[in-house]
Amino acid sequence: MSTVTPTGQDEPETREPILNTVDRVTELCFGLFMALTFVGAVKAVSVDEDVGRKLFFSALGCNLAWGLADAVMFLVRTLADRGQRLKLALTVKRERDHATAVRVLRDALPKALEPLIENAELEQIRARLAAMPTLPPRARLARGDYLGALGIFLLVVVSTFPVALPFLVLKDHATALIISRALTLAMLFGAGFALGRYTGGGAMRAGFAMTLVGVVLTMAIIALGG
């Protein structure tokens, strides 16, 4: 498939991932830390034969609730960001004074990019917007946005299982706690590795840094009675 640019030229349509690497890593880590707070409380409750099942379903219920809340807020943020961009485009398109429209575009630039972009480049953007026949009257959510929200929900929920599942399948809670923390740190390393490779900041370094965050958090939980 192809899309038509404002100049009338066909360009191949490129499909971006519904969630980028940062989205996936942050949501996964969020779910891990949420589940870890429940696992850290395993020593603070009376140990009986049913404590593992109770802990697992408590952690799962928490992440179900927070996964749903995070998914809804993702849709809210997406709609708000899209509405802001559409408002900018409509403002520039309707502005008859070219210099004013260019100033509007410049004011919308991130501070880091502002000195790198000349007014002539902004004028080209203004001209393209002015040449567009129509723009949507309002921001809308697309099918991909709902898929992204579903992905966030699943990431937060699925991250419960490596952390809490050992308590459901093992009767020895001490062993389950060790396995749970080891799996958590391994997943944090993998998340940091992926984030470091995505940002170009060094995959191994980011993996160990994220693992260190997990170690510090686990130590804090232990100090607080976990």
Side-chain angles (χ1 to χ4, degrees):
M1 296 181 64
S2 62
T3 56
V4 180
T5 66
T7 59
Q9 297 177 338
D10 288 343
E11 290 187 353
E13 183 178 4
T14 57
R15 297 187 61 183
E16 296 182 356
I18 296 174
L19 296 175
N20 61 31
T21 301
V22 176
D23 292 328
R24 293 194 294 267
V25 168
T26 53
E27 295 301 334
L28 180 65
C29 290
F30 175 77
L32 283 173
F33 291 137
M34 288 296 296
L36 191 60
T37 59
F38 279 87
V39 170
V42 69
K43 291 181 182 178
V45 299
S46 58
V47 179
D48 54 43
E49 294 182 356
D50 204 30
V51 67
R53 188 180 67 84
K54 291 178 180 178
L55 187 146
F56 173 80
F57 285 107
S58 295
L60 180 60
C62 175
N63 276 11
L64 281 170
W66 279 108
L68 179 60
D70 216 14
V72 171
M73 291 310 301
F74 168 80
L75 294 176
V76 172
R77 291 192 304 270
T78 298
L79 188 61
D81 290 343
R82 192 165 296 158
Q84 191 275 334
R85 291 194 297 269
L86 178 59
K87 178 183 177 182
L88 173 64
L90 288 170
T91 300
V92 172
K93 179 177 174 60
R94 294 168 179 169
E95 178 58 58
R96 295 185 178 183
D97 183 71
H98 295 184
T100 301
V102 168
R103 283 199 301 272
V104 171
L105 287 171
R106 180 164 294 282
D107 290 341
L109 289 174
K111 294 298 182 183
L113 293 180
E114 187 176 353
L116 303 178
I117 299 179
E118 302 292 337
N119 282 348
E121 297 172 282
L122 295 176
E123 168 59 25
Q124 292 178 356
I125 297 174
R126 184 212 63 79
R128 292 193 189 101
L129 285 171
M132 294 184 70
T134 59
L135 286 172
R138 64 181 62 86
R140 299 178 183 274
L141 292 172
R143 176 175 176 269
D145 301 321
Y146 293 104
L147 291 177
L150 177 62
I152 287 175
F153 173 77
L154 293 176
L155 278 172
V156 175
V157 173
V158 168
S159 63
T160 307
F161 292 92
V163 182
L165 192 60
F167 295 92
L168 187 64
V169 299
L170 296 176
K171 294 183 179 180
D172 186 349
H173 297 125
T175 302
L177 185 61
I178 293 173
I179 294 174
S180 172
R181 286 174 176 163
L183 289 174
T184 300
L185 295 178
M187 290 184 68
L188 287 172
F189 177 84
F193 187 93
L195 192 61
R197 187 168 60 179
Y198 175 78
T199 60
M204 293 296 293
R205 181 186 305 172
F208 284 117
M210 190 70 79
T211 305
L212 180 60
V213 171
V215 170
V216 172
L217 180 60
T218 302
M219 291 174 63
I221 292 172
I222 293 174
L224 292 172

